[in-house]
Amino acid sequence: LLTLFQLLACLSLMLHDMDELPWTLPACFLGLVAMEWICFRLRRFEELGVLLPAFFLSTLGLCVAASAAPASLLKQFAALVLGVVLFWILGLVLRDIDLTMKLRYAAGLCAILLLAANLLFGESRYGARNWINLGFITIQPSEFVKVAFVFAGCATLERLMTARNTVLFLLFSAACIGPLFLMRDFGTAVVFFVGMVIIAYMRSGDWRVIAFFSGAAAVGAPLVILLKPYIADRFASYLHAWEYAATSGYQQTRTMIAIGSGGLLGLGGGNGNLDRVAAADTDLVFGILCEEWGLIVALCCAACLVILALYAATRAARASSAYYAIAACAAAGMLLLQAALNLFGSVDLLPLTGITFPLVSNGGSSMAASFAMLAFVESVQNTGRKGEKRR
């Protein structure tokens, strides 16, 4: 069924571009189908709980790129291939809990170095200084820092919730979240903060942890707005998008119009108009999905992230190590929150933060890093494998 959907989606896009059909369109979709079936053949049926929704989401990611930014389609497919490779490599590493523990400091160091490089050499886009231009390619380091954050952060608290480990975890979290504020990447900072809360709560099992972090956020948010008044100006149109339809609410109002015009089944691949709005294929991607592929398909995207979160939560109790349970729930929670910020921000139910929809929004860094994050979600089913001990 998934392959049939992919072929029909490709056909719809080809019919739209029949006059100037780029060779990359059929090539990328056929490559996706081939890679997908290779992955499925290497897995047992009961191990497809992560890969099936991931390939469905990434299929729509290619559809969005082909429709709204055709020149980036090949790059998006290359990022998808890289993401699948990272998924398999990280999955192999995670099967050996002792190797994972040995690599935690290297992962933490990589996260800090990536953020430091971003602060030194990053360039601004849409108000956030979170991109590094390497000449032949532009990357967003904070996306890969998420992977390192889960890898090292969960390992920091794996063995025992001692005062020393707690301090190390908090210092590492501050080292990851602090630079994001300097880059003005506040949406990503929120995702990291929630990941930190999930990890700390699952390790301690104490609701006071959530209360403490929630209180800190409640106190810190007004201070940030006081010190950075432009943040308040940025969110001035929140919940009043139609009143600012010609200015700061332009993107959200056009997104809501697109959602309404698409109906349940959509207008067909490439037949939408939202791609004329800035950041339509990234921040407003839910609008493109609704307009071209219909509300049903768009809601299925949101359901996929919910399913992945439930998959991690329901299997956590059976994981052979606390690390797998914590890492799976943290990764799934961060991906789900990221999708929620993107979806609700595009329709003015939350402030528009510039967060991408995992595996769907156009962007190579986001695509590759999101697939890598899924390796943590899948690791929750690791039981009785090499180097693992039940703790």
Side-chain angles (χ1 to χ4, degrees):
L1 288 176
L2 177 57
T3 301
L4 178 62
F5 173 79
Q6 292 164 334
L7 295 177
L8 290 175
C10 180
L11 178 61
S12 175
L13 291 165
M14 289 173 63
L15 291 174
H16 176 75
D17 294 327
M18 189 57 70
D19 295 337
E20 300 179 1
L21 181 63
W23 66 269
T24 54
L25 180 57
C28 288
F29 274 86
L30 290 177
L32 169 64
V33 171
M35 179 174 59
E36 171 185 286
W37 277 98
I38 291 173
C39 291
F40 289 169
R41 292 292 294 176
L42 296 174
R43 282 283 198 268
R44 299 192 305 270
F45 179 77
E46 60 270 19
E47 295 179 332
L48 299 182
V50 172
L51 284 176
L52 275 173
F55 277 115
F56 173 71
L57 291 171
S58 55
T59 297
L60 290 170
L62 292 185
C63 290
V64 169
S67 173
S72 67
L73 178 59
L74 190 60
K75 178 204 72 175
Q76 191 74 348
F77 177 71
L80 172 58
V81 175
L82 174 61
V84 172
V85 171
L86 292 175
F87 172 83
W88 283 90
I89 293 175
L90 187 55
L92 291 175
V93 172
L94 291 173
R95 292 189 180 206
D96 189 339
I97 193 64
D98 292 331
L99 177 61
T100 302
M101 292 300 110
K102 292 176 183 177
L103 294 176
R104 65 187 186 275
Y105 293 115
L109 180 61
C110 286
I112 295 173
L113 290 177
L114 281 173
L115 290 171
N118 204 154
L119 287 173
L120 293 174
F121 308 110
E123 61 181 35
S124 297
R125 290 189 180 183
Y126 304 110
R129 188 182 179 184
N130 55 358
W131 297 87
I132 293 181
N133 192 341
L134 300 179
F136 63 97
I137 192 173
T138 304
I139 64 171
Q140 191 173 359
S142 60
E143 291 292 336
F144 297 101
V145 173
K146 293 176 187 174
V147 182
F149 176 76
V150 174
F151 190 101
C154 295
T156 304
L157 299 179
E158 150 66 9
R159 296 185 181 276
L160 194 62
M161 189 74 170
T162 62
R164 175 180 175 273
N165 287 347
T166 302
V167 170
L168 285 175
F169 173 67
L170 292 176
L171 289 175
F172 176 62
S173 299
C176 291
I177 297 175
L180 295 173
F181 280 94
L182 297 178
M183 298 176 210
R184 300 187 180 184
D185 194 354
F186 303 106
T188 303
V190 172
V191 174
F192 273 81
F193 177 80
V194 171
M196 177 180 69
V197 174
I198 293 174
I199 293 171
Y201 170 71
M202 289 196 66
R203 181 65 271 183
S204 67
D206 191 344
W207 283 96
R208 288 176 296 181
V209 172
I210 295 181
F212 170 77
F213 284 116
S214 299
V219 173
L223 291 177
V224 171
I225 294 176
L226 183 63
L227 295 174
K228 306 286 186 179
Y230 62 83
I231 299 176
D233 296 336
R234 183 178 179 183
F235 297 146
S237 62
Y238 171 50
L239 293 179
H240 300 281
W242 292 103
E243 299 176 21
Y244 299 88
T247 54
S248 56
Y250 181 84
Q251 290 175 294
Q252 290 100 322
T253 54
R254 296 309 180 273
T255 300
M256 288 184 273
I257 291 172
I259 293 172
S261 64
L264 291 177
L265 302 179
L267 304 176
N271 294 324
N273 295 310
L274 187 62
D275 59 322
R276 302 173 186 176
V277 178
D281 57 335
T282 53
D283 302 355
L284 312 175
V285 71
F286 186 76
I288 287 186
L289 293 178
C290 290
E291 184 180 28
E292 298 189 1
W293 303 100
L295 183 62
I296 295 175
V297 170
L299 291 179
C300 284
C301 282
C304 283
L305 273 301
V306 175
I307 289 171
L308 288 172
L310 291 174
Y311 177 89
T314 54
R315 293 181 175 239
R318 291 179 285 173
S320 62
S321 168
Y323 178 86
Y324 298 132
I326 297 172
C329 290
M334 292 172 72
L335 290 173
L336 181 60
L337 175 66
Q338 189 174 328
L341 289 174
N342 178 278
L343 192 162
F344 295 128
S346 65
V347 295
D348 200 33
L349 292 178
L350 287 175
L352 189 62
T353 57
I355 286 289
T356 57
F357 197 111
L359 300 174
V360 179
S361 290
N362 190 18
S365 299
S366 177
M367 173 68 78
S370 296
F371 241 108
M373 290 282 278
L374 292 176
F376 295 111
V377 180
E378 192 191 51
S379 72
V380 77
Q381 68 182 7
N382 289 345
T383 55
R385 290 174 179 165
K386 181 181 177 182
E388 295 176 359
K389 301 174 184 178
R390 181 169 295 279
R391 292 183 174 89

